[in-house]
Amino acid sequence: MPHTLPVSESFYSIQGEGKCTGVPAVFLRLKGCNLSCGGINTIKTKSLDSGATWRCDTIEVWTKGETINIVDLLESWEQNGWLNHLKNGAHLVITGGEPLLWQDKLVKFLNDFKQFQSFLPFIEVETNGTITPTKKLDSFISQYNVSPKLKNSGMKKEDRLINEALTFFTESQKGYYKFVVSNQSDCDEITNSFIIPFKIPSQKIQLMPGAETKDDCLALSPQVVEWCKEKGLGFSSRLHLLLWDKKTGC
Ligand code: SF4
C-alpha cells in the first residue's frame, strides 16, 4: 500500500513568523485541526461565537484537502524545483490545521523522504501545542513552533491547554513559543497561564500582533513591541500578512 498524506496545500515561500522568519521554506499544510479558533460553530457559520474575538485565518484552507500519495507529492515537488531548494537549505515547514493529528503518517512520509532523497531538510512543525509528539516523529523534527491558544480563541481551557504537551515543548530544546496578543489582558493570561506555571524560559517566547490584515498588523505592532520590552520577550511580526495581506499559499 502506498503511503499517503491528507494535504490541504503545499507551496514554496519564506517563513513569515517566529524564530526562523525570512528563511525560504516549502510549506506542507495538512488537513484538519482539533480546535476551531473563532468558536465551536465557526466552521459552519463562518462567524465568531463562544466568546471568541478572532477567527482562524486558514480555516477555509485546512477544512479542505485531499489524500495524496507520497510518491506523487515528492514527484511534484521535484518538478517544481522544491526538492532542490530543500537540499540547498530551505526549511520544510509542516503546518495545518494541527499537523500533529497525523503523526504516524508523517513518520512514514519522512522515512520515505529520507529513503528516496538521501537527505532530510531542517524540519519545522507549526503546532497549537495540545498534542505531544511521539518519540518516532520527534526524531525527525528540528524545531517546534508552538502557538498555544488563549481564552480569546473561544476554545475551552481543557481543550487548548494540555499540561503534558506543554511540558514536552517547554523541556524540548527544539520547542519555541509564539503567542498572538491583542491587549494587556492577553499578556497577563500568557504570564499567568503559561509562563509561570510551565516555567517557560523567556528566550523561548515571542509575542505576535493579533491581526487579520496588514493594516491591523502595522497598527498594533508598536504596542506589542512595548509589551515585549516590558516582559523581556521576543517580538515576531507576521511577514505574510505584511507582504500579501489575507492571501494564503503565497
Ligand atoms: S489551532 Fe491553529 S489551525 Fe487550528 S483553528 Fe486554531 S488557529 Fe486555526
Side-chain angles (χ1 to χ4, degrees), residues 148-198:
K149 303 307 169 214
L150 307 181
K151 244 190 277 179
N152 61 21
S153 64
M155 296 290 93
K156 287 188 199 148
K157 192 173 182 185
E158 60 265 33
D159 292 333
R160 61 183 169 76
L161 202 160
I162 307 296
N163 286 4
E164 184 200 323
L166 289 171
T167 302
F168 172 90
F169 292 118
T170 301
E171 288 176 355
S172 168
Q173 297 209 331
K174 303 185 272 190
Y176 292 89
Y177 287 86
K178 46 181 187 169
F179 288 95
V180 176
V181 292
S182 301
N183 52 46
Q184 183 65 51
S185 85
D186 292 344
C187 293
D188 294 343
E189 187 182 344
I190 291 164
T191 303
N192 297 327
S193 297
F194 295 93
I195 298 178
I196 294 175
F198 291 96

Side-chain angles (χ1 to χ4, degrees), residues 89-104:
H91 291 185
L92 171 61
V93 178
I94 303 173
T95 185
E98 176 46 64
L100 293 180
L101 289 172
W102 303 106
Q103 301 204 53
D104 290 348

Side-chain angles (χ1 to χ4, degrees), residues 135-151:
K135 271 201 178 126
K136 262 192 191 162
L137 181 65
D138 185 52
S139 67
F140 287 100
I141 306 306
S142 317
Q143 183 175 302
Y144 298 98
N145 304 321
V146 186
S147 188
K149 303 307 169 214
L150 307 181
K151 244 190 277 179

Side-chain angles (χ1 to χ4, degrees), residues 33 35-37 54 56 58 62 96-98 128 149:
C33 189
L35 300 181
S36 57
C37 300
W54 62 277
C56 171
T58 54
W62 62 250
E98 176 46 64
N128 59 28
K149 303 307 169 214

